[in-house]
Amino acid sequence: MDQSDSEIAQATQKLHNLTEKNSEIKLQQMVADSEMNQAEERKNTFVQQVNAYQAQIETLKSEEHDYNHMVADAKVQLESMAQEIETCQQHYQDCRRQLEQEKQIADRILLDINEQSRKVKFLENLESSLEGFHHSVKAVMNQVANGHLNGIHGPVSRLIEVPKQYAVALETALGASMQHIVVGNEQDAKQAILFLKQKEKGRATFLPMSTIKANKLTESGLETCEGFIGIAEDLCQCDAQYRSVLQSLLGRIVVARDLDAATQIAKRYHYRFRVVTLDGQVVNAGGSMTGGSQARSAGLLSRSADIAQGKEKIVSLEQQAAKAKETFQATVQRTAKAEQAIEHAKNALYQRREETVQIQAEYNRVLNERKAIEEALRQLKSEQEQFSHQLEQQMQIKEDTAAQLSKITDEITAVQTWLTGSKESFGKESQLLNEQLQELRVAGVSIEKEKEALQKELEDLRQNRLNYDHKAEVLNSEIRAVTGANQLVEKQIAA
C-alpha cells in the first residue's frame, strides 16, 4: 500500500507538474501566436510603407530631374539675357557716340551758317554803302536814293550778274567802266553831271541807253580756238534793257583760259580785239599786254556774286542743318529706345533671376525631401529585417512549444490512464487533482488577462499603423502640391 501510495503520489505530482508545464507551454504558444500575428500585420504595414516610400522617391526623382533641367535652362537664359544687355549697352554707347558726332556736325553747320551770314551781311553792307566805288559815283547814287535825281539806273557792276568763275576776267575786261553809271537818256546824264559840278563831287562817266550802240565781234572760228572760253558779253547776264550797254562794253572782248591761249587767239586774228584770261591777264588790241597781280580794289563784280553765292550757301547749309536736326532727333529717339531696351532687359533679367532662385529652392527642397524619405526607407527596411528575424524566432518557438505540448499531452494522457485504472486508490489524489485543476483554472483566468493585455498591445500596433498611413497621405498631399507648383512655374517659363 505504501508503495502504491508512493506511486500514486509520484504520478499525481507528475500529473501536476505536467499540467503546470502544459499551461506554461500553452501560454507561451498563445504569446507566440499573438506576436506572430502582430509581426505579420507589422510586416504588411512595412511592405505598404516601403512601397509608398519608393513611389514617393520615384516621384521626387522625376521632379528633381525636371527641376534640374529647369535650373540648367534658366542659367542658359540668364547668360543669354546678360549678353543681350551687353549688346543693348553697346548699341546705346554707339547711339551716344553717333549723337555726339551729329551734334558736332549740327554745331559746325550752325557755325558755318553764322559765318556765311556774317560774310553776306558784311558784303551787303559794303554793297549798300557803295564801298569801292568812286566818290562821284557814291554822290550820284545817294542823290538817287534821296529822290533828287531821276533816270539813274546805277553803276554797270550792279546791273549785271557774273558767275564766280568769270568775275576776275570780266572785272579786268570792264576795268573802270564797271563804275560807269547807266542812265535813261542824255538829259538824265546832264542833270547828274550838273549835280557833280555844282557840288564839286568829282567826275563820272554816264552811259545813256538812248544813245549807246551795240558793238559785237563777228569773227568766225573763235569757238575752235584752243583755250577759248567765250565772248565776255555772253558770260554774264543782265536785264534786256541793258543788253545794248553790255554789248558796247563787252561785245568785242574775248575771254581765254590762260595767257598762252590768249596770245594765240590774238595773234590768229591779228590783234584786232582784246583778249582777257580767267586770271585777269590782258592781250590788248594792237598787241600790247597788261598783267600782273590783281589790284586790291578789284571785286565789285565778284562781290555781288559772293553775296549771291553766300546766300545760296546759307540756304544749302540751312537745309543741311534741318536734315542734321532730323537725323539728330532720330538718333535721340534711337538712343532713348536703346536706353529703354537696356532697362527692359535688366528688369527681365532681374525677374528671371528671381524665378531661378525659386526654382533652385524648389529643387533643393525636393532633393532634401527625397534624401529624408530615402533615410526613412532605410530605417524602415532595417526595422523590417528585425521584425522578420523576430518572426522567424516566434515561428521556431511556436514549433518547439507545439512539440513540447504534444509530448506533455501524451504524458498527461498516460498518467491519467494509469490513474483512471485505480480510482478507488486514487480518490484522495483525485480530490487533490481537482484542487490543482481549480488552480489551473485560476491560472487560465490569469492567462486570459494576459491575453487581453496582448490584444491591447495589438490594438496599439494597429493604431500605429493608422498613424503611418496618415503620414503617408500627408506626404502624398505635399507631392501633389509640389507637382502643381512645378506645372505653374513651367507655364510661367513658357510664357
Side-chain angles (χ1 to χ4, degrees), residues 214-218 231 233-234 247 251-252:
N215 188 10
K216 190 172 183 179
L217 282 175
T218 58
I231 297 175
E233 177 214 346
D234 298 331
Q247 286 182 352
R252 293 191 59 79

Side-chain angles (χ1 to χ4, degrees), residues 282-442:
V282 183
V283 178
N284 295 300
S288 63
M289 300 174 68
T290 304
S293 62
Q294 193 73 8
R296 297 179 66 88
S297 60
L300 294 180
L301 286 181
S302 61
R303 189 160 65 194
S304 297
D306 288 342
I307 291 174
Q309 187 177 20
K311 289 181 177 180
E312 290 177 359
K313 189 174 290 187
I314 289 173
V315 171
S316 176
L317 289 171
E318 287 176 343
Q319 292 174 351
Q320 293 179 29
K323 186 176 181 181
K325 183 178 180 181
E326 291 178 0
T327 304
F328 180 79
Q329 292 298 329
T331 305
V332 168
Q333 293 178 359
R334 286 200 305 274
T335 304
K337 288 181 179 179
E339 191 172 10
Q340 291 175 357
I342 292 174
E343 231 16 71
H344 178 73
K346 285 183 177 179
N347 292 335
L349 179 62
Y350 174 78
Q351 183 177 359
R352 190 58 183 142
R353 281 175 176 169
E354 291 293 322
E355 293 174 354
T356 303
V357 169
Q358 294 177 1
I359 294 172
Q360 185 68 51
E362 286 296 316
Y363 171 77
N364 293 336
R365 183 191 62 77
V366 170
L367 181 63
N368 293 332
E369 186 173 351
R370 178 181 63 80
K371 289 181 179 179
I373 294 177
E374 286 177 345
E375 177 61 23
L377 179 61
R378 186 189 64 77
Q379 294 178 0
L380 190 62
K381 286 183 177 180
S382 177
E383 292 178 9
Q384 187 180 19
E385 291 177 358
Q386 293 177 3
F387 271 101
S388 297
H389 181 66
Q390 291 176 3
L391 183 60
E392 291 176 357
Q393 290 178 345
Q394 293 298 325
M395 290 179 68
Q396 185 63 43
I397 291 172
K398 183 177 180 180
E399 291 176 358
D400 294 342
T401 54
Q404 292 177 9
L405 186 61
S406 177
K407 182 179 179 182
I408 290 172
T409 301
D410 292 340
E411 290 178 359
I412 290 173
T413 301
V415 171
Q416 286 177 343
T417 301
W418 183 81
L419 288 174
T420 302
S422 305
K423 289 184 179 179
E424 293 178 358
S425 300
F426 300 147
K428 292 181 180 179
E429 190 66 30
S430 179
Q431 184 179 358
L432 179 60
L433 288 174
N434 287 333
E435 290 175 358
Q436 290 177 349
L437 180 61
Q438 185 64 31
E439 290 176 357
L440 288 174
R441 287 174 180 174
V442 172

Side-chain angles (χ1 to χ4, degrees), residues 131-407:
E131 186 67 28
F133 286 90
H134 297 318
H135 180 67
S136 58
V137 176
K138 291 182 180 180
V140 170
M141 295 309 297
N142 286 333
Q143 285 296 104
V144 172
N146 294 328
H148 297 152
L149 289 175
N150 298 319
I152 307 299
H153 291 261
V156 170
S157 62
R158 286 193 166 186
L159 300 179
I160 62 176
E161 296 178 5
V162 180
K164 180 71 175 178
Q165 65 270 29
Y166 304 134
V168 173
L170 294 185
E171 282 181 356
T172 304
L174 287 170
S177 61
M178 282 191 300
Q179 299 194 37
H180 291 178
I181 300 173
V182 177
V183 297
N185 51 50
E186 293 177 343
Q187 187 60 37
D188 297 331
K190 290 178 181 179
Q191 290 180 358
I193 291 171
L194 179 61
F195 163 74
L196 292 173
K197 182 178 180 181
Q198 289 177 349
K199 300 297 182 179
E200 297 182 352
K201 296 293 185 179
R203 299 168 64 83
T205 299
F206 296 90
L207 303 174
M209 291 187 295
S210 59
T211 60
I212 294 297
K213 302 300 181 182
N215 188 10
K216 190 172 183 179
L217 282 175
T218 58
E219 304 291 343
S220 60
L222 282 173
E223 296 80 1
T224 62
C225 293
E226 177 69 23
F228 173 78
I229 300 298
I231 297 175
E233 177 214 346
D234 298 331
L235 300 179
C236 56
Q237 301 292 327
C238 68
D239 193 272
Q241 61 180 325
Y242 307 128
R243 179 55 60 182
S244 59
V245 174
L246 191 61
Q247 286 182 352
S248 68
L249 297 174
L250 300 174
R252 293 191 59 79
I253 300 175
V254 171
V255 177
R257 182 184 61 236
D258 50 34
L259 190 57
D260 290 336
T263 55
Q264 290 295 326
I265 293 172
K267 183 176 181 181
R268 178 177 177 178
Y269 290 95
H270 307 290
Y271 305 100
R272 290 195 295 269
F273 48 83
R274 199 155 48 126
V275 183
V276 180
T277 65
L278 291 176
D279 61 352
Q281 315 306 319
V282 183
V283 178
N284 295 300
S288 63
M289 300 174 68
T290 304
S293 62
Q294 193 73 8
R296 297 179 66 88
S297 60
L300 294 180
L301 286 181
S302 61
R303 189 160 65 194
S304 297
D306 288 342
I307 291 174
Q309 187 177 20
K311 289 181 177 180
E312 290 177 359
K313 189 174 290 187
I314 289 173
V315 171
S316 176
L317 289 171
E318 287 176 343
Q319 292 174 351
Q320 293 179 29
K323 186 176 181 181
K325 183 178 180 181
E326 291 178 0
T327 304
F328 180 79
Q329 292 298 329
T331 305
V332 168
Q333 293 178 359
R334 286 200 305 274
T335 304
K337 288 181 179 179
E339 191 172 10
Q340 291 175 357
I342 292 174
E343 231 16 71
H344 178 73
K346 285 183 177 179
N347 292 335
L349 179 62
Y350 174 78
Q351 183 177 359
R352 190 58 183 142
R353 281 175 176 169
E354 291 293 322
E355 293 174 354
T356 303
V357 169
Q358 294 177 1
I359 294 172
Q360 185 68 51
E362 286 296 316
Y363 171 77
N364 293 336
R365 183 191 62 77
V366 170
L367 181 63
N368 293 332
E369 186 173 351
R370 178 181 63 80
K371 289 181 179 179
I373 294 177
E374 286 177 345
E375 177 61 23
L377 179 61
R378 186 189 64 77
Q379 294 178 0
L380 190 62
K381 286 183 177 180
S382 177
E383 292 178 9
Q384 187 180 19
E385 291 177 358
Q386 293 177 3
F387 271 101
S388 297
H389 181 66
Q390 291 176 3
L391 183 60
E392 291 176 357
Q393 290 178 345
Q394 293 298 325
M395 290 179 68
Q396 185 63 43
I397 291 172
K398 183 177 180 180
E399 291 176 358
D400 294 342
T401 54
Q404 292 177 9
L405 186 61
S406 177
K407 182 179 179 182

Side-chain angles (χ1 to χ4, degrees), residues 71-96:
V71 169
D73 292 342
K75 289 181 179 179
V76 172
Q77 290 180 4
L78 288 175
E79 292 178 0
S80 177
M81 295 171 78
Q83 291 177 356
E84 181 181 355
I85 290 176
E86 184 177 352
T87 301
C88 290
Q89 289 175 338
Q90 183 61 43
H91 178 60
Y92 174 74
Q93 293 300 326
D94 292 341
C95 289
R96 291 288 301 174

